[in-house]
């Protein structure tokens, strides 16, 4: 589709701008050809000639984000869903926002379907790319923001509970992004510390009250001493984390206070969250 | 439903021409069998079946919309 327009203007720049506006394109997406140089004529009055240019849209190579876009578009077509996909660049990655009526079906329980779509969209976008991998975020109109609010509220509620009961609280399994939200929400809360435990996809956040002895169990046991990073354990070691996919597992769904020691032994700590892999094993 | 599996699989594999999905009806449920080139198996299954799971999740959403029961198997 070699879309092309011819425009005139007092100057070449003016003609260019008019052409870009008409094509709805950015400067680097268009090739310009000067058809006529402008001339001022005599005292700018007689015989002045406008600049004339031709602007043609350059056939752009389909980038990674287009592949993700195409895949989603095709899926929604087959689902008979009327979805508009809006593209936007954000600092977290390329954001594809799905807009339409009744898109709850694309979100699923706790965003499972949305995450699955996002995952395949990322795979499609980065297929064959070893470097320069792009990150694609798929959202349904404000869902991720709402979910973030929900998780933050949950985090402070459970932190309060941990404080009150003196016991650690294990959340349900969450993906990396959601765990980050919990960790971040509580990182400035000096009364609790948080870390992640277990292997994907069952990895969960644990909220633990600090000064647990006052909480009333396990006399003489201070895990702060044992691990050497009590205060702000989540944040303090940000330079020493490394990614580990095969950490020791603790996948127990239900967790009773008597089992705390074994659990602690298998525990891993979530590192600082900078969007990269961020888990690292605890010192043994 | 069948096409959705095809579309996703083709977007992920190196040999999209070898992607075939067979559709079978079993006791009111639909079984979709996804076939890909041998060296593309990993591309549709993924580490710990993560990709397979994502494909199933998307198909399940589509099936729910049509009140159908659909299983996806990779063979």
């Amino acid at each position: 589709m070699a879309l092309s327009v011819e425009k005139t203007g007092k100057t070449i720049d003016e003609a260019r701008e008019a052409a870009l506006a008409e094509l709805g394109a950015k400067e680097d997406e268009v090739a310009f050809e000067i058809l006529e140089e402008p001339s001022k004529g005599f005292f700018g009055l007689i015989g002045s000639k406008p600049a004339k240019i031709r602007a043609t849209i350059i056939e752009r190579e389909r980038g990674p984000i287009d592949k993700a876009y195409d895949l989603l578009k095709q899926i929604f077509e087959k689902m008979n869903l009327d979805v508009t996909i809006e593209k936007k660049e954000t600092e977290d990655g390329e954001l594809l926002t799905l807009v339409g009526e009744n898109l709850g079906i694309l979100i699923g329980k706790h965003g499972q379907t949305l995450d699955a779509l996002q995952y395949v969209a990322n795979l499609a976008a980065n297929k064959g790319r070893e470097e320069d991998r792009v990150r694609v975020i798929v959202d349904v109109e404000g869902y991720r923001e709402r979910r973030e609010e929900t998780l933050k509220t949950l985090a402070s509620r459970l932190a309060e509970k941990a404080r009150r009961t003196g016991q650690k609280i294990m959340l349900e399994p969450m993906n990396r992004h959601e765990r980050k939200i919990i960790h971040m929400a509580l990182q400035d809360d000096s009364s609790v510390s948080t870390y992640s435990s277990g292997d994907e996809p069952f990895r969960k956040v644990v909220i633990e009250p600090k000064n647990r002895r006052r909480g009333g169990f396990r006399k003489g046991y201070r895990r702060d001493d044992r691990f050497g990073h009590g205060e702000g354990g989540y944040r303090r070691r940000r330079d020493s984390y490394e990614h580990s996919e095969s950490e020791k597992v603790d996948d127990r769904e239900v967790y009773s206070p008597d089992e705390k020691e074994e659990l602690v032994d298998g525990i891993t700590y979530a590192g600082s969250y900078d969007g990269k892999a961020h888990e690292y094993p605890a010192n043994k | 439903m069948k096409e959705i599996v095809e579309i996703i699989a083709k977007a992920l594999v190196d040999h999209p021409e070898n992607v075939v999905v067979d559709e079978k009806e079993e006791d009111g449920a639909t079984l979709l069998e996804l076939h890909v080139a041998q060296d593309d198996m990993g591309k549709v299954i993924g580490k710990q079946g993560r990709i397979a799971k994502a494909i199933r999740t998307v198909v399940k959403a589509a099936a729910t919309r049509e009140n159908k029961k659909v299983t996806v198997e990779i063979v």
Side-chain angles (χ1 to χ4, degrees), chain A residues 91-238:
Chain A
E91 45 181 75
D92 294 327
E94 302 267 3
L95 175 66
L96 296 177
T97 304
L98 314 178
V99 184
E101 301 276 312
N102 300 321
L103 297 187
I105 194 164
L106 297 182
I107 297 174
K109 189 188 168 201
H110 294 340
Q112 273 173 3
T113 307
L114 194 57
D115 287 339
L117 287 167
Q118 177 171 298
Y119 185 53
V120 293
N122 270 284
L123 291 171
N126 290 301
K127 188 180 142 190
R129 287 167 83 86
E130 295 293 326
E131 294 162 15
D132 280 346
R133 296 176 72 84
V134 295
R135 179 148 181 243
V136 183
I137 303 158
V138 183
D139 195 6
V140 169
E141 283 177 290
Y143 169 76
R144 295 208 183 271
E145 202 177 309
R146 287 200 305 278
R147 175 79 176 152
E148 185 170 341
E149 283 313 307
T150 308
L151 290 172
K152 281 181 181 164
T153 311
L154 179 78
S156 49
R157 198 160 49 83
L158 292 181
E160 163 58 29
K161 191 177 170 193
R163 254 194 310 275
R164 199 165 20 110
T165 61
Q167 305 213 2
K168 48 166 93 171
I169 295 172
M170 187 173 265
L171 279 68
E172 62 176 15
M174 284 173 197
N175 65 35
R176 174 176 295 180
H177 177 70
E178 297 196 337
R179 292 198 306 269
K180 168 191 171 183
I181 294 169
I182 304 275
H183 289 309
M184 297 296 274
L186 297 178
Q187 70 172 355
D188 292 328
D189 186 332
S190 58
S191 65
V192 293
S193 55
T194 63
Y195 53 89
S196 298
S197 165
D199 271 358
E200 299 284 6
F202 302 109
R203 205 163 161 76
K204 1 184 158 161
V205 175
V206 180
I207 302 174
E208 180 182 62
K210 286 184 184 167
N211 302 321
R212 266 170 61 209
R213 275 191 303 177
R214 265 184 258 145
F217 60 74
R218 292 215 75 96
K219 279 183 202 152
Y221 168 70
R222 254 189 93 195
R223 58 182 305 281
D224 288 6
D225 291 339
R226 202 166 149 188
F227 286 88
H229 55 64
E231 294 287 308
Y234 166 64
R235 275 203 296 174
R236 199 195 263 175
R237 304 180 54 200
R238 53 173 52 177

Side-chain angles (χ1 to χ4, degrees), chain A residues 70-71 74-75 78-81 102 105-106 112-113 115-117 119-120 123-124 127 199-201 245, chain B residues 3-4 7-8 10-14 16 43 46-48 50-51 53-55 57-58 61-62 64-66:
Chain A
D70 289 351
L71 172 64
Q74 287 179 69
I75 293 173
K78 291 295 169 201
M79 288 175 83
N80 291 318
L81 280 173
N102 300 321
I105 194 164
L106 297 182
Q112 273 173 3
T113 307
D115 287 339
L117 287 167
Y119 185 53
V120 293
L123 291 171
K127 188 180 142 190
D199 271 358
E200 299 284 6
E245 289 203 330
Chain B
E3 291 98 331
I4 293 175
I7 289 164
I8 301 174
K10 283 185 178 173
L12 306 182
V13 300
D14 290 330
K43 296 244 161 78
K47 270 184 209 151
Q48 296 172 340
R50 196 172 165 204
I51 303 174
K53 191 176 169 224
I55 297 175
T57 304
V58 174
T64 310
R65 200 170 140 75
E66 295 180 21

Side-chain angles (χ1 to χ4, degrees), chain A residues 7-20:
Chain A
K7 280 281 163 191
T8 53
K10 268 190 224 147
T11 62
I12 290 180
D13 276 349
E14 234 182 71
R16 276 180 186 229
E17 266 167 42
L20 289 178

Side-chain angles (χ1 to χ4, degrees), chain B residues 13-24:
Chain B
V13 300
D14 290 330
H15 309 284
E17 68 279 6
N18 290 354
V19 171
V20 178
V21 181
D22 288 330
E23 191 168 1
K24 292 176 184 168

